[in-house]
Amino acid sequence: GLDFPNLPYFVHGDVKITETLAIHKYIAGMWGPELLGRDPSERAHVNMMASIVGDLKGGTTMGCYVDGDRAQINKVIFDKIPAIVRYLGYKKYLCTDDQVTWVDFFFAELCDFMQFLTDGLLYQNYPVLKKYFETVMSLPGLQQYWRSEYCMKGPFNNKIAKINN
């Protein structure tokens, strides 16, 4: 019953959608519209960062499936992450200092994956990302889930991947 069958998928009543970013935005719009951004400028920055983070996620994930070349995957990470770190600066969240947005959940999950892929070098080289990840994961509700037995922290990839399957 999905227009574009794929994982992940989300069903909410008559709404049936696939694609990670569409699901994130739907959930935010449905249960926390402020997570989309509070005004047009903030929403534009959230969507811009979703594209930037999505590009980085694609670059890291695809290598896990294609050839499993960890050195090449790490090159992608360390080539792309400095610009994101500069943009993050000393803000509490990726796009704002005072309001979490849906892209923070997407990027925090990617940080966890990149920390795994880099054998811990990501946070060693960019302590601000470790602080950022901890800030997002300490959000009420998310912190309890993250620490619970119900939280699936791995594997990050499908069983056909060459890395972390």
Side-chain angles (χ1 to χ4, degrees):
L2 299 169
D3 293 323
F4 298 94
N6 198 3
L7 292 174
Y9 67 89
F10 183 81
V11 177
H12 178 238
D14 292 338
V15 175
K16 298 175 184 174
I17 53 177
T18 56
E19 299 304 319
T20 300
L21 300 185
I23 293 168
H24 275 282
K25 290 172 94 171
Y26 178 82
I27 290 170
M30 193 71 196
W31 290 286
E34 68 282 357
L35 296 171
L36 296 169
R38 296 169 289 196
D39 59 49
S41 174
E42 199 170 279
R43 286 190 293 275
H45 281 90
V46 169
N47 288 327
M48 174 184 74
M49 291 312 299
S51 293
I52 301 296
V53 171
D55 181 52
L56 177 57
K57 180 167 176 52
T60 58
T61 303
M62 193 55 65
C64 293
Y65 286 85
V66 174
D67 55 18
D69 183 346
R70 209 173 188 117
Q72 179 58 37
I73 295 167
N74 279 278
K75 182 179 180 339
V76 169
I77 293 169
F78 288 116
D79 283 352
K80 293 181 180 273
I81 205 68
I84 297 172
V85 168
R86 272 192 307 279
Y87 182 81
L88 173 62
Y90 295 100
K91 295 189 300 283
K92 187 174 181 180
Y93 301 110
L94 193 55
C95 295
T96 75
D97 196 39
D98 64 340
Q99 173 65 44
V100 66
T101 63
W102 71 268
V103 78
D104 289 299
F105 301 107
F106 184 46
F107 185 52
E109 178 185 31
L110 181 57
C111 285
D112 192 36
F113 183 39
M114 293 186 302
Q115 176 70 351
F116 164 78
L117 289 170
T118 63
D119 292 320
L121 288 177
L122 182 73
Y123 293 164
Q124 183 179 323
N125 293 353
Y126 298 100
V128 68
L129 291 178
K130 180 179 184 194
K131 183 177 190 242
Y132 167 81
F133 178 79
E134 290 170 348
T135 297
V136 172
M137 290 306 177
S138 70
L139 289 166
L142 185 54
Q143 180 180 51
Q144 290 82 353
Y145 174 71
W146 183 250
R147 293 179 177 170
S148 79
E149 63 190 62
Y150 302 106
C151 181
M152 186 176 130
K153 295 182 181 169
F156 291 101
N157 294 319
N158 188 296
K159 62 184 176 181
I160 63 170
K162 293 171 177 46
I163 295 178
N164 192 246
N165 56 7

